[in-house]
Every structure is written in structure tokens, then in C-alpha cells.
Amino acid sequence: MNSKNKNLLIGGLIIALIIGVLSPFIASTNPDGLEATAQHLNPNAMQNPGYYHAPFEDYKLPFLGNSPLAGIAALVIGVLIALGFVYIITEIIKRRGNTKN
């Protein structure tokens, strides 16, 4: 990885972490988007989420309680997990590209 790509990666990671840290403080407490539509169309939809349960429901870590710290920790962990997935996928793609040559 050259210096320019490394700086871009570090800059993107810093921006993602800043957004993750600030979002519990600037996010709306009113449901909007998909959640609000589900409640509008079927008020019982949110009571029974079906078979899938999110790992960090409401962007909180249960053992940290209902504090902004719980939201920050969940978002930072989510950013790092997403970064890990992207890294693994790019490594797989790079290795497949090297074997075809």
C-alpha cells in the first residue's frame, strides 16, 4: 500500500469514528424513515421483529445501560467491524487477482 492510499484510509477511518462518536448526540429521538413507516402501516410491527434480532439494538450495548457511552461504543464497534469486512473482502479480491496472472 502506497503512502497516498494509506493516508486516505486513515483519514476515512478518522472521519467514520468522529461521526460514530458524535451521532448519539445529534441523532433525532423521533422515529423516522423505515421505522416510522412500519409503525404507521402496522403499529404492532415493532413489537414482534420476526426472526432477526440486531446485535446492537437501538445502537446500544446492553451491559452499558442507556447512556450516550453505550451508543458511542456500539457505533465505534460497528465502524471497526465494517472496516474489518471491507479489509477481508479486498484481500480476497487481491489474492484472486494475483492467481489469475
Side-chain angles (χ1 to χ4, degrees), residues 45-61:
M46 301 308 291
Q47 301 300 326
N48 184 10
Y51 63 90
Y52 179 76
H53 298 282
F56 302 133
E57 269 187 59
D58 294 329
Y59 303 101
K60 304 279 185 196
L61 295 175

Side-chain angles (χ1 to χ4, degrees), residues 6-92:
K6 190 174 184 179
N7 289 340
L8 180 65
L9 178 67
I10 291 170
L13 179 61
I14 289 171
I15 290 170
L17 289 173
I18 288 171
I19 291 170
V21 168
L22 292 178
S23 54
F25 303 106
I26 58 176
S28 172
T29 56
N30 298 323
D32 53 352
L34 186 59
E35 195 172 310
T37 303
Q39 287 178 350
H40 178 69
L41 294 176
N42 182 3
N44 297 326
M46 301 308 291
Q47 301 300 326
N48 184 10
Y51 63 90
Y52 179 76
H53 298 282
F56 302 133
E57 269 187 59
D58 294 329
Y59 303 101
K60 304 279 185 196
L61 295 175
F63 61 87
L64 291 178
N66 194 14
S67 69
L69 179 62
I72 292 170
L75 288 163
V76 168
I77 290 170
V79 166
L80 296 176
I81 289 172
L83 178 65
F85 279 132
V86 169
Y87 178 77
I88 290 169
I89 291 169
T90 56
E91 286 298 315
I92 291 170

